[in-house]
Amino acid sequence: MKTFEKVENKTYYFSSCDSCEALCCDGREGSLFAQIILEDFEEVYKNFPIVFILGELGFLKPVILLTNGKSLCQYNKDFKCTIYDQRPSICKNYPLSPHLDNSIYIDKTCPATKQRGETIVKNFNINKNLNTYDFDNYQDKYIKTHFHFDKYKNLDNLEKIITLNAVDFYSIKTNSNDYYIDLHHKSLKNINNYYII
Ligand code: SF4
Ligand code: SF4
């Protein structure tokens, strides 16, 4: 299971994925869904279902369904990503992750972080040759995303469309003139037999 920890003032390395059976792409290892922000919608809607979960205090959070919780991501073949250039930011950033507190987090369970390799973080700074994602402003983007969907959180607007590993995922029913809701609706074509098991 993934265990993200806030990075400390030291050097973190990444060796290689060569001898790993794609643990980060495996629903049996805890990769079920990932929270996204508005900037992610265009990148993911063609390949993944964008759905919503009800978080703490009834907050509505957009997420993508990465796996069905019981197998590898459907885009993983022979432990390799078949949509590498179009993979979501969550995958591009891994084993790093942005956080609401604007800190960088790292999954210490990724085997490649346990051996010396390329430097990925040093003194709280990410190696920009490896990752150009804007971790610094994640808090603002997260809050903007939250407020964008806050108006839809009334249960009358929501339809439960799938339950995976005891987590309920919702669609927003409204047809309002909202660019992100439109991408959400288009993305639902990706809920296919892979997820409905
Ligand atoms: S990033 Fe880590 S968990 Fe994912 S395939 Fe590479 S070594 Fe395995
Ligand atoms: S999109 Fe690629 S990197 Fe991301 S979970 Fe699927 S197979 Fe893994």
Side-chain angles (χ1 to χ4, degrees), residues 14 16-17 20 22-24 94-95 110-112:
F14 187 90
S16 157
C17 300
C20 177
L23 298 182
C24 54
Y94 188 82
C110 164

Side-chain angles (χ1 to χ4, degrees), residues 36-42 62 141 144-145 148-149 180:
I36 59 172
I37 54 177
L38 295 177
E39 284 76 2
D40 295 321
F41 272 61
E42 277 190 30
K141 293 174 180 175
K144 191 174 154 202
T145 302
H148 186 86
F149 295 109
Y180 297 100

Side-chain angles (χ1 to χ4, degrees), residues 103-158:
S103 301
I104 305 162
Y105 281 65
I106 187 166
D107 181 9
K108 301 300 294 293
T109 68
C110 164
T113 63
K114 300 181 195 304
Q115 295 165 11
R116 276 218 172 213
E118 274 196 276
T119 299
I120 50 171
V121 180
K122 187 174 185 180
N123 301 334
F124 300 113
N125 293 313
I126 295 173
N127 179 347
K128 289 297 179 194
N129 292 329
L130 299 177
N131 192 314
T132 56
Y133 189 83
D134 181 8
F135 281 64
D136 293 341
N137 295 312
Y138 186 76
Q139 184 182 71
D140 289 346
K141 293 174 180 175
Y142 182 102
I143 291 169
K144 191 174 154 202
T145 302
H146 163 70
F147 281 113
H148 186 86
F149 295 109
D150 198 47
K151 55 185 170 290
Y152 300 118
K153 72 182 179 189
N154 185 323
L155 282 177
D156 289 342
N157 285 328
L158 303 179

Side-chain angles (χ1 to χ4, degrees), residues 4 60 151-152 171 189:
F4 283 92
L60 202 55
K151 55 185 170 290
Y152 300 118
S171 168
K189 70 174 176 20

